[in-house]
Amino acid sequence: MPFRPLYGHHAVRARLRAAAGDGRLPASLLFQGLRGVGKQRLALWLGQYLLCERATTERLPDPCGNCQHCRYAERGVHPDLHWFFPRPRFKDKDPDVEDVKADLGEAIAERLAADGLYAPPPGTEGLYVAVMRALIRMAANRPAMAKGVVFVVGDAERMVTQEGADQSANAFLKLLEEPPPGVTLILTTSEPGALLPTIKSRVVSVRVPTLPRADMEAFLADAAVARQLSRAPHEELLARAGGAPGVLFAGDGTAAAFANARVLLEAALAPRTPDGTVVRIKAAAKQGMAGARGSYSDTLDALTHVLHARVQQLVKAGHESDARRTASVMTLVEATKTKVQHNVSPNLLTASLLQAMHRALVP
């Protein structure tokens, strides 16, 4: 089963293919944007474009889809297009490259079998040291059949740098800074603030925006999408996605995160009264004392989406001043996401966040 179609991102695609055609495409890229906007699918599209026999030389708008490279890439089996993303930690502390490739191959096949409509990896999965070591070793090899090699690293903020892995971390940084000839690395992240500064300084960032309504309409009309979402009202789906269609397939864990995010927004909007203060205190207390990664990070991601949807609704209703205040709150949430990477309790983070949101949202 091939990868699902890529919807939207026409302006970004135009810039990327122009750079590729002119030989100006950086060898190390970082696609950043809200969770669910299609960053990894866009990265895989670019990987296929770079490996296609005709795309760059003939300045095609998309990969040709007919050459052997395209056929292999679309089925997720091209030996020179490698897709890495968070996976469970290996039980074997020192798996070899073939073990890592086999594990990722099975996971990719599962995503393809689900029509490419998959939930984000749980907080327990990561890009562990063994996986990054395998990537580094693979990047040192010559291409198997194409003119170059492309590595797509999804959810790059999940790179785990412990386990005394300074040597691997340094090797990966060197790889980003000076990839071998013909090697292109495309990292994606929904949490750029959680990436190590040493990584961000070695890549060229590309912002991947949310999809406009027309592209969202096309996505929802897709047969596979329609089958899975047929029971939900159309406008509700558009509002929930907020231009990030992947959000709609996030599973029960993310559904809970969205419910929690809405509770936090309602608490922030509670009035400037003693009762309103109590609401905010209770909402913060419910976030727990530990485990800031995982489910709490999911809640913050969901809160960004909820705020984005609220901005759109306020603009449509003509409440532009309220929309501007709501948009300004997103920076507060992003700042909180960076603090999650440190061992700070979620309830303390939430108490501070809700207080700041309340001051910004309630005149």
Side-chain angles (χ1 to χ4, degrees):
M1 182 173 293
F3 285 122
R4 66 173 301 92
L6 171 62
Y7 290 94
H9 305 309
H10 304 291
V12 176
R13 281 196 262 180
R15 293 198 301 272
L16 292 170
R17 62 175 169 253
D22 295 339
R24 297 180 290 103
L25 189 74
S28 297
L29 293 160
L30 173 67
F31 289 179
Q32 60 183 61
L34 293 179
R35 188 174 300 282
V37 297
K39 299 181 294 299
Q40 292 184 58
R41 183 64 188 91
L42 176 63
L44 292 167
W45 171 89
L46 178 58
Q48 181 181 343
Y49 193 89
L50 295 174
L51 299 181
C52 176
E53 293 177 354
R54 299 173 49 203
T56 54
T57 55
E58 299 180 25
R59 300 296 183 99
L60 300 180
D62 289 292
C64 75
N66 297 317
C67 69
Q68 186 179 39
H69 295 294
C70 281
R71 294 197 301 272
Y72 282 6
E74 288 176 350
R75 301 205 313 270
V77 296
H78 198 296
D80 296 316
L81 177 56
H82 305 286
W83 186 13
F84 288 75
F85 45 84
R87 297 289 296 147
R89 187 191 299 269
F90 277 89
K91 294 181 180 178
D92 180 355
K93 292 185 178 180
D94 191 25
D96 60 25
V97 172
E98 293 306 315
D99 291 333
V100 172
K101 290 171 67 173
D103 176 69
L104 284 167
E106 291 178 5
I108 290 169
E110 290 175 1
R111 289 187 170 189
L112 290 175
D115 293 310
L117 306 173
Y118 54 86
T124 54
E125 296 184 1
L127 292 160
Y128 291 104
V129 172
V131 174
M132 302 316 297
R133 284 176 180 159
L135 188 157
I136 293 164
R137 291 170 187 165
M138 292 164 64
N141 297 330
R142 295 177 61 84
M145 61 178 284
K147 55 190 175 183
V149 183
V150 180
F151 292 88
V152 174
V153 183
D155 297 302
E157 73 280 356
R158 299 279 195 95
M159 289 184 193
V160 179
T161 56
Q162 63 255 30
E163 304 175 15
D166 292 344
Q167 185 176 357
S168 292
N170 291 335
F172 181 68
L173 292 175
K174 182 174 177 57
L175 176 63
L176 284 177
E177 192 167 24
E178 298 180 26
V183 171
T184 302
L185 295 120
I186 311 170
L187 280 59
T188 79
T189 182
S190 304
E191 302 178 38
L195 277 175
L196 294 173
T198 49
I199 290 178
K200 289 192 286 187
S201 66
R202 287 168 169 79
V203 296
V204 175
S205 293
V206 177
R207 180 177 173 273
V208 182
T210 54
L211 300 186
R213 186 181 179 100
D215 290 326
M216 281 298 305
E217 295 279 8
F219 175 84
L220 292 175
D222 180 287
V225 174
R227 280 196 303 271
Q228 294 199 33
L229 301 176
S230 59
R231 296 181 181 180
H234 187 73
E235 290 299 322
E236 179 183 315
L237 292 174
L238 289 172
R240 180 180 173 189
V247 170
L248 301 174
F249 303 92
D252 294 339
T254 299
F258 268 83
N260 196 17
R262 294 187 188 98
V263 169
L264 295 183
L265 178 57
E266 291 173 4
L269 291 168
R272 294 179 182 270
T273 63
D275 287 344
T277 301
V278 170
V279 169
R280 284 184 285 279
I281 292 173
K282 287 183 176 180
K286 288 180 180 179
Q287 305 311 310
M289 289 294 295
R293 295 176 185 266
S295 61
Y296 185 63
S297 294
D298 293 341
T299 292
L300 293 178
D301 287 338
L303 183 55
T304 299
H305 288 292
V306 169
L307 288 167
H308 189 274
R310 177 178 166 80
V311 169
Q312 291 183 320
Q313 292 165 357
L314 289 170
V315 169
K316 289 179 181 178
H319 303 307
E320 294 186 1
S321 60
D322 289 336
R324 284 193 294 270
R325 282 196 291 270
T326 302
S328 70
V329 165
M330 293 186 193
T331 60
L332 301 174
V333 178
E334 291 301 315
T336 302
K337 289 179 183 179
T338 64
K339 297 175 183 176
V340 169
Q341 303 309 307
H342 307 289
N343 194 23
V344 182
S345 65
N347 58 2
L348 293 178
L349 285 176
T350 307
S352 177
L353 174 61
L354 289 180
Q355 185 178 11
M357 289 176 63
H358 176 70
R359 287 197 297 264
L361 294 173
V362 180

